[in-house]
Amino acid sequence: MNAAARRPNIVVVLADDMGFSDIGCFGSEIATPALDRLSSRGLRFSQMYNCARCCPSRATLLTGLYPHQAGIGGMVGNGGSPAYQGYLRSDAVTIAELLQAGGYRTILSGKWHVGGEYSIPDPQQWRRDAGTEGHPLPTQRGFERYYGMLCGAGSYYNPPTLMHDDRFVPPDEEEYYFTDAVTDHAIREVDRAVGEEKPFFLYLAYTAPHWPLHAFPADIERYRRRYGCGWDEIRHRRHYRLREEGILEDRWPLSPRDPDATAWQDAPDHEWEDLRMATYAAQIDRMDQNIGRLVERLEHHQVFDNTLIVFLSDNGGCAEFLREDGETGRWPEFYSVAATDGRPVAVGNSRRRTPGGMHTFMSYDLPWANASNSPFRLYKSWAHEGGIATPMIVSWPERLRRTGICHQPAHLIDFMPTFLEAAGIEYPQCFGGREIQPCEGTSLMPLLTGEGDYPPERMFCWEHYTNRAIRLGNWKLVSDRRNDDRAWELYEIEHDRVELNNLIDRHADVAERLATLYEEWRQRVGAH
C-alpha cells in the first residue's frame, strides 16, 4: 500500500435528534452492541458539545467555524444576513474540500441539510434550484460521491429529495429503508477507496432517530412492552447507569421531570406511549446494526485499526411533535414535514400505505425526550445541557493512547483541526482563489494520542433562535428564550452539570465577565 494510503481513514457517524443517554454505553436500555464495542476499545467524551440543532451542527462539523460564520446560525431559510443566509458561505471551506485536495476520497452518505430554503420537500422546486447559488450540492462542496437526502427529514421508506451524486433518484428497492440504504452506499464507496489504495473521509449522516417514527416491525417488537414502566422510571434507571459507568459524577442529581411532562401514571394511553418509544428505540437499534456492518467491512479490508471513527449526535432529544391533523405542536421544527400523499408511513409496517396517516409522522414527544436527555434539562434547540450535550465515541486502535472516559470539554468546532492534523494537512488562508475565515477549533489530537498539550481552559459560545450560552472553564452562563426578559442564569458545571443551582446573584462578577465575553463573540460572528 502506498504512503498516502497509510494516512488514517476518517469516518464521522452522525445521529439525528438523539439524546445524551440513548445508547447503551451512555446508560440506555437500547441495545447498541456495535457502538458499545467501539467504546470499550476507544474513548468516550462526557462533555462533548454540538450546536443545539441539525443545520447549525452540520455547518460547524463541516467547517470548523461557529454556525453563524458558516452561514447557518438558524435553519436553511434566508435570514437576511451572512450569518443566517441558510447555506454554507463562500468564505468557509469544508473539511471535505481540504481532504479531497490533500488526496483523500471524500464520501457523504445520508443527510445534507446545509443548503437551500426547503425543509418541506418540494421535489420539483429542488430540481429547479439544486446546485444553484444558495442551494449547493455536496458534490460542489468537496464530496466526490454522495447518496442521501438534501432536506432535513422525511419518510424512511420513500424519502424526499433523494439524490445520488448530482441526480435525483427514487428508492431503488421494494423493502427500502433509508438507514440501510445510506450504509449500503457508504460500504460500496469504502470498497472502492480501499481498492484504489486511497485514504478516505466518510461522513455517514443518518436521519435516525429523527421523526417520523418509522421502523421495521421486527425491530420494534424487541422493545414492545419494555417501556410500560414509563418515562419517570426510565430516567431514574439511566441516571443510575450513567453514574455507574463514570460518565456522571455521583454528586450530580437527576433533574426533576420537566413541568410540561405528564407524570407517567397520568398518561392517558400507556400502550400507545410504549409503542412510540419502542419505535424510537428500534430506529436507534437499526442504526447500530448498520454501524456494525460498516465496522465489519473495515475489519474485512484490514483498515479498521488505521481508521479514526467518531460517533455523536447533532443535538439533544427532540421535544417537538406533530399532531394527528398534521399541524406542528409544541416547539416545532420551523419547517416541518407532512405526509398527505399516501406514502408508506405506518408505524410498525414498512409497506402499508395510509393516505393522510399524519400520526405516523409524529415524534415520540416531550416526556420521552426528557428521558432521552437524562439527567439534563431541556431539549434540542436550547443551549442548556439537554440541547447541546452529546455522547461521543472515538475509536482509532492504531493511534489512540488512552481508553475509557475523557471529561475534557470539547466542541464540534474541533473536528476540522483534529482531522487535518491526523491527515497531515495544513489549514490554509485561501482556498479555491478565495480568502477563508480562520478555523475556530482546537485539535483534539493531544487528548487522543497523548502527544502535545491541550489548553487547560477553553471558551465555547452558542446562539440559536435567541437561546444563548457561553462556557468558560467550569462556568456556564445561559438563557432561555421562554423567559420574556431572556435573563441570564449562571452555573458552575463542575459541581452542577444538570444546571439546577442558579448562582447569578451570588457571583454577579463572574456573570458580568462572561456576558461581556459573550457580547464580544456575538458581534464577531454576527449572531443575533
Side-chain angles (χ1 to χ4, degrees):
M1 188 170 288
N2 62 35
R6 286 306 305 159
R7 291 185 293 172
N9 307 304
I10 300 169
V11 175
V12 176
V13 182
L14 188 67
D16 196 348
D17 280 13
M18 192 192 79
F20 185 78
S21 65
D22 273 336
I23 57 175
C25 53
F26 275 78
S28 181
E29 69 293 331
I30 301 171
T32 55
L35 289 171
D36 296 350
R37 180 171 173 244
L38 288 177
S39 74
S40 69
R41 299 181 292 175
L43 193 60
R44 285 174 287 176
F45 278 68
S46 68
Q47 297 194 61
M48 180 65 192
Y49 288 117
N50 52 46
C51 299
R53 210 185 198 106
C54 47
C55 303
S57 288
R58 283 166 169 74
T60 290
L61 185 157
L62 287 169
T63 64
L65 304 172
Y66 282 105
H68 313 79
Q69 296 168 304
I72 308 182
M75 294 286 280
V76 291
N78 188 344
S81 74
Y84 299 91
Q85 68 183 25
Y87 59 95
L88 295 178
R89 284 165 48 168
S90 60
D91 59 353
V93 66
T94 72
I95 183 64
E97 288 172 318
L98 294 181
L99 289 176
Q100 182 185 37
Y104 274 68
R105 176 170 288 281
T106 53
I107 308 155
L108 170 55
S109 200
K111 174 174 168 176
W112 178 233
H113 210 203
V114 287
E117 296 270 354
Y118 313 105
S119 284
I120 299 177
D122 178 349
Q124 295 307 316
Q125 188 70 41
W126 274 102
R127 284 173 171 80
R128 285 193 295 271
D129 293 344
T132 64
E133 177 66 24
H135 299 79
L137 300 177
T139 51
Q140 294 171 311
R141 295 309 306 254
F143 289 100
E144 295 175 73
R145 303 306 302 269
Y146 172 59
Y147 176 84
M149 194 190 311
L150 294 176
C151 66
S155 170
Y156 285 72
Y157 313 121
N158 189 13
T161 66
L162 188 63
M163 178 168 274
H164 191 181
D165 293 335
D166 55 1
R167 296 178 296 106
F168 285 95
V169 294
D172 56 4
E173 57 189 70
E174 177 64 19
E175 288 299 313
Y176 184 93
Y177 189 69
F178 188 69
T179 304
D180 296 346
V182 296
T183 310
D184 291 342
H185 174 261
I187 289 173
R188 285 194 299 269
E189 293 304 324
V190 165
D191 290 346
R192 176 181 299 187
V194 172
E196 294 175 355
E197 296 191 337
K198 291 188 69 172
F200 58 84
F201 169 57
L202 167 62
Y203 175 28
L204 180 52
Y206 290 113
T207 54
H210 192 296
W211 52 262
L213 294 174
H214 288 175
F216 287 115
D219 291 333
I220 297 172
E221 193 58 34
R222 285 195 291 276
Y223 296 95
R224 288 300 303 271
R225 292 166 290 280
R226 184 173 298 192
Y227 294 102
C229 60
W231 41 70
D232 295 320
E233 180 61 25
I234 291 295
R235 293 182 74 235
H236 283 285
R237 292 177 184 178
R238 290 188 177 190
H239 180 235
Y240 174 81
R241 286 193 290 267
L242 283 163
R243 291 188 300 172
E244 193 174 43
E245 289 279 346
I247 295 169
L248 299 181
E249 298 277 356
D250 287 340
R251 58 187 167 180
W252 296 338
L254 178 66
S255 63
R257 182 199 316 119
D258 189 297
D260 287 318
T262 305
W264 177 253
Q265 62 267 24
D266 298 327
D269 190 342
H270 286 180
E271 183 176 357
W272 167 238
E273 294 295 352
D274 172 78
L275 173 60
R276 285 212 285 186
M277 186 60 190
T279 307
Y280 176 87
Q283 290 173 298
I284 293 175
D285 185 306
R286 191 74 172 197
M287 176 179 67
D288 185 81
Q289 293 176 47
N290 278 278
I291 294 169
R293 291 173 54 212
L294 174 63
V295 170
E296 287 177 3
R297 199 65 171 180
L298 296 173
E299 292 174 328
H300 169 77
H301 287 304
Q302 299 182 346
V303 298
F304 173 76
D305 287 353
N306 192 36
T307 300
L308 169 57
I309 302 175
V310 181
F311 170 87
L312 75 164
S313 178
D314 63 350
N315 46 249
C318 173
E320 302 153 358
F321 73 93
L322 299 179
R323 299 202 307 261
E324 291 191 19
D325 60 6
E327 295 298 317
T328 54
R330 178 188 302 118
W331 305 307
E333 287 276 11
F334 283 76
Y335 306 94
S336 39
V337 178
T340 58
D341 58 357
R343 290 174 180 161
V345 298
V347 170
N349 186 331
S350 66
R351 304 314 301 171
R352 187 178 65 179
R353 293 182 179 272
T354 54
M358 297 293 187
H359 67 285
T360 63
F361 261 70
M362 294 176 75
S363 78
Y364 62 166
D365 206 352
L366 183 146
W368 286 124
N370 198 192
S372 283
N373 291 336
S374 299
F376 303 130
R377 296 169 50 209
L378 297 176
Y379 312 96
K380 169 184 177 178
S381 87
W382 269 270
H384 288 71
E385 296 293 289
I388 60 176
T390 174
M392 187 169 89
I393 299 167
V394 178
S395 170
W396 192 9
E398 197 164 290
R399 292 288 306 279
L400 206 61
R401 291 295 175 262
R402 57 183 297 192
T403 58
I405 300 171
C406 176
H407 297 294
Q408 187 73 237
H411 191 284
L412 274 173
I413 55 175
D414 300 329
F415 279 23
M416 172 73 85
T418 302
F419 297 159
L420 290 185
E421 183 176 349
I425 297 172
E426 296 288 333
Y427 187 89
Q429 292 183 327
C430 297
F431 183 83
R434 64 187 191 272
E435 188 174 344
I436 60 174
Q437 300 170 76
C439 183
E440 289 280 338
T442 296
S443 174
L444 302 177
M445 288 290 282
L447 300 179
L448 305 183
T449 67
E451 301 168 4
D453 297 322
Y454 188 79
E457 184 175 270
R458 298 183 59 198
M459 185 181 85
F460 307 115
C461 294
W462 295 263
E463 187 281 327
H464 183 65
Y465 286 108
T466 71
N467 289 317
R468 308 172 294 165
I470 177 172
R471 178 167 176 179
L472 178 62
N474 286 319
W475 289 106
K476 182 180 176 186
L477 195 68
V478 60
S479 71
D480 182 345
R481 71 168 180 265
R482 296 174 303 177
N483 298 332
D484 292 338
D485 58 2
R486 294 176 61 215
W488 286 114
E489 305 162 14
L490 180 67
Y491 300 101
E492 189 177 9
I493 297 299
E494 181 179 358
H495 299 288
D496 183 22
R497 180 87 191 277
V498 291
E499 300 172 314
L500 297 179
N501 185 21
N502 184 1
L503 302 175
I504 192 78
D505 294 329
R506 208 182 312 174
H507 295 282
D509 57 332
V510 175
E512 183 178 0
R513 179 166 67 98
L514 292 179
T516 299
L517 291 171
Y518 176 85
E519 180 61 20
E520 292 172 354
W521 171 86
R522 185 192 69 78
Q523 293 188 29
R524 181 170 66 84
V525 303
H528 289 326

